């Protein structure tokens, strides 16, 4: 059996600055989410991370019954929680630099990138082989960690994976081997004959 996993990055509200923390979605983000609902592959199993942003995204996709999966929670930001990137850079610039360059670093007292990568790798590897098609609404950090696991990439490559809000990551697993699956561009035209 092959597991076909789609990780959908949660929608994001309009923010002036990047903030470490969970923020509710605004109407624009909810509208954008509803617009992509029909573009996702059909899945037998739906999960969502426990954040408001992820659960609101799942509901906007019509997945009110998505199972909340605590393991898919965002990176624990410790003392940086609810602070802006500018505030953290001003108050702990050396810590921010260490955190973004050393996957083992956790100057905020929360979770390191390496710990997140291990947590997500364990969740991926524990998915049953007969799970079939699975979709999970996750935070961007979780999607990054999943790509690192699928590629068996070094944890320091975490920051080199860009996953914007409402983007999806397609992974497949067969016999314990994860693969990143890229989507094909459709060559079919809609409407008209020319």
């Amino acid at each position: 059996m092959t597991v076909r996993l789609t990780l959908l990055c949660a929608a994001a509200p309009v923010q002036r600055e990047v903030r470490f923390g969970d923020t509710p979605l605004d109407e624009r983000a909810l509208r954008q989410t509803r617009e992509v609902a029909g573009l996702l592959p059909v899945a037998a199993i739906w999960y969502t991370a426990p954040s408001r942003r992820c659960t609101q995204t799942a509901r906007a996709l019509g997945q009110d019954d998505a199972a909340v999966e605590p393991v898919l929670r965002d990176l624990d930001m410790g003392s940086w929680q609810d602070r802006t990137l500018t505030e953290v850079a001003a108050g702990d610039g050396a810590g921010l630099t260490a955190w973004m360059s050393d996957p083992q670093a956790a100057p905020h007292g929360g979770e390191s990138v390496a710990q997140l990568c291990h947590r997500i790798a364990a969740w991926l590897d524990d998915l049953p082989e007969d799970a079939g098609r699975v979709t999970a609404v996750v935070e961007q950090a979780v999607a990054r960690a999943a790509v690192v696991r699928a590629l068996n990439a070094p944890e320091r490559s975490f920051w080199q994976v860009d996953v914007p809000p409402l983007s999806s990551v397609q992974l497949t697993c067969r016999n314990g081997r994860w693969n990143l699956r890229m989507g094909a561009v459709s060559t079919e035209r809609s409407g008209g004959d020319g």
Side-chain angles (χ1 to χ4, degrees):
M1 295 283 303
T2 299
V3 176
R4 299 183 189 287
L5 174 64
T6 299
L7 297 173
L8 178 70
C9 289
V14 175
Q15 293 179 324
R16 292 184 188 269
E17 282 193 83
V18 172
R19 180 175 295 276
F20 296 117
D22 186 16
T23 51
L25 300 182
D26 55 19
E27 188 50 46
R28 181 191 130 277
L30 290 169
R31 184 180 64 254
Q32 288 175 334
T33 302
R34 289 187 290 268
E35 290 171 0
V36 302
L39 304 176
L40 294 170
V42 175
I45 301 170
W46 276 79
Y47 293 106
T48 181
S51 68
R52 283 182 293 178
R53 186 172 40 233
C54 288
T55 57
Q56 286 180 315
T57 299
R59 277 191 229 115
L61 292 169
Q63 299 300 323
D64 296 347
D65 296 329
V68 175
E69 177 55 73
V71 174
L72 297 177
R73 69 189 176 279
D74 201 2
L75 194 62
D76 177 354
M77 296 308 298
S79 63
W80 295 350
Q81 187 70 25
D82 296 324
R83 296 173 64 194
T84 67
L85 185 59
T86 302
E87 291 168 342
V88 171
D92 189 8
L96 183 62
T97 299
W99 179 65
M100 293 191 73
S101 60
D102 178 3
Q104 302 293 330
H108 44 60
E111 190 174 26
S112 70
V113 166
Q115 289 170 317
L116 170 69
C117 288
H118 292 281
R119 173 167 46 94
I120 298 308
W123 181 79
L124 288 170
D125 294 341
D126 284 344
L127 281 173
E129 286 189 21
D130 63 350
R133 293 187 183 274
V134 178
T135 298
V137 179
V138 298
E139 301 290 348
Q140 293 166 309
V142 170
R144 285 181 173 135
V147 169
V148 167
R149 165 62 185 98
L151 298 177
N152 288 316
E155 292 160 351
R156 69 179 180 277
S157 63
F158 175 87
W159 294 111
Q160 294 169 301
V161 180
D162 289 331
V163 283
L166 293 177
S167 64
S168 67
V169 174
Q170 307 285 323
L171 303 174
T172 60
C173 181
R174 186 179 192 98
N175 298 322
R177 180 175 167 223
W178 284 98
N179 294 301
L180 177 63
R181 184 169 196 273
M182 306 304 287
V185 176
S186 175
T187 56
E188 294 181 28
R189 294 175 158 237
S190 60
D193 47 4

